[in-house]
Amino acid sequence: MRKMGEWLKAMQEEMKTLHENHTFELVKLPKSKRELKNKWVLRLKIDENFSQPKYKPRFVVKGFGHKQGINF
């Protein structure tokens, strides 16, 4: 269970950073449009010099749903 808590903490920090950097903007979705699909990519970084592993989550949008000039 400890690992799950570590992942949640790291994911919350990532969302906080994305919000502070104005990476995205939440807007009301028009009726004729669908939302972009997204997912979390989780990576556990283990370094020989550190005793604690680093939990590195990334929140990404699945790229095949983008349309140039509309979604990005």
Side-chain angles (χ1 to χ4, degrees), residues 26-56:
L26 294 177
V27 296
K28 188 170 179 169
L29 189 64
K31 290 186 180 190
S32 63
K33 302 292 180 186
R34 293 188 309 187
E35 71 278 356
L36 295 173
K37 303 296 181 191
N38 55 61
K39 66 179 182 176
W40 283 100
V41 176
L42 305 175
R43 180 173 175 216
L44 187 60
K45 191 172 184 181
I46 301 172
D47 192 355
E48 295 174 6
N49 299 330
F50 299 105
S51 60
Q52 293 286 340
K54 289 186 179 183
Y55 294 85
K56 305 288 283 187

Side-chain angles (χ1 to χ4, degrees), residues 2 6 9 12 19 23 27 31 40 48-49 53 56 60 71:
R2 179 178 175 222
E6 294 291 331
K9 181 178 164 185
Q12 288 172 345
H19 181 71
T23 304
V27 296
K31 290 186 180 190
W40 283 100
E48 295 174 6
N49 299 330
K56 305 288 283 187
V60 297
N71 307 81

